[in-house]
Amino acid sequence: MPIVDSVSSNAPAAPRAGRPRSEATRHAILDAATDLALAGGRVPTIDAVASQAGVSRTTIYKWWPSSAAVLAEGLLDRFHESIEFDDALPVREALTLQVDALVTLLRDTAAGALVRQLLAAAASDRAVGVAMLDRWLEPRRATAAHHLERGVQQGLVRPDADLALVVDVLFAPVYHRLVWGHAPLEPGLARQVCDLVWPTICVTSPAAPAAAS
């Protein structure tokens, strides 16, 4: 039995245009999908989400193409604090804390197993891949890119640095360890990664002139 609902022939390929989503209904659906997934350890079916949320399948399919898409957004909504860090924090510290929050979330909560399932399913199901990219990965990447751009504006990060690639490098070790399990998601991983990355992107101060003898 597949671990996720693929987009069925009866479901639209993409959310249809229409009336704006009711926030109360949206949160009910996201909470239902997330609660069911965290309790059951797998991606719930659309029928289960609809029953739990007290809505119809049609309502869900108006806004999401699959239960995986609902869950990806639901997990982000439930654990949004793992990507929100104040701009008052130093750039390097904000990046370290963001990576560390992801490590902690994937290691210490049931979300880790669910994200691993969704990533595995994304390899063969394009709809799941799009859902994960749009509703889980991109919001996190955008936040990291924002802090890197702050670094550029503050003269801390090289303006010629490929920020998209830097974001990839920051998060890749976390997902690599999550999927393959070859090494633990240890508490110090985020700082180790940032300590490796930061020297390659930071603006180095010019050497002070030698004192006259």
Side-chain angles (χ1 to χ4, degrees):
M1 179 180 295
I3 60 173
V4 299
D5 274 353
S6 296
V7 180
S8 71
S9 58
N10 296 323
R16 295 194 296 265
R19 297 175 61 185
R21 293 188 292 189
S22 157
E23 280 303 298
T25 302
R26 171 183 173 272
H27 282 294
I29 294 170
L30 293 178
D31 285 344
T34 306
D35 289 343
L36 288 168
L38 292 175
R42 67 189 303 275
V43 181
T45 65
I46 285 290
D47 285 337
V49 174
S51 176
Q52 178 91 345
V55 301
S56 68
R57 287 167 50 94
T58 301
T59 297
I60 297 176
Y61 279 131
K62 281 181 181 178
W63 301 328
W64 293 278
S66 68
S67 60
V70 183
L71 179 58
E73 186 171 335
L75 287 172
L76 182 67
D77 193 64
R78 178 69 57 88
F79 299 109
H80 62 86
E81 70 278 0
S82 67
I83 67 172
E84 295 178 359
F85 295 97
D86 199 311
D87 282 1
L89 287 170
V91 172
R92 182 173 180 174
E93 191 64 18
L95 292 170
T96 303
L97 288 173
Q98 189 187 354
V99 176
D100 187 60
L102 178 62
V103 170
T104 301
L105 174 65
L106 297 179
R107 183 190 64 228
D108 296 345
T109 77
L114 293 170
V115 170
R116 185 165 55 244
Q117 288 181 38
L118 289 167
L119 291 174
S124 58
D125 189 326
R126 184 176 181 278
V128 177
V130 170
M132 284 297 289
L133 182 63
D134 290 347
R135 295 177 168 89
W136 175 263
L137 293 174
E138 283 303 333
R140 197 173 300 278
R141 288 175 55 81
T143 300
H146 164 74
H147 290 300
L148 288 167
E149 287 162 0
R150 281 204 300 124
V152 173
Q153 293 166 5
Q154 294 172 12
L156 301 173
V157 174
R158 294 187 357 245
D160 63 334
D162 185 336
L163 300 189
L165 181 58
V166 174
V167 173
D168 284 344
V169 174
L170 286 171
F171 292 117
V174 181
Y175 290 113
H176 194 62
R177 291 188 179 199
L178 175 71
V179 171
W180 294 106
H182 63 289
L185 291 170
E186 55 197 4
L189 178 61
R191 193 158 298 279
Q192 292 172 22
V193 171
C194 289
D195 285 350
L196 283 173
V197 173
W198 187 259
T200 70
I201 64 171
C202 70
V203 174
T204 56
S205 300
S213 56

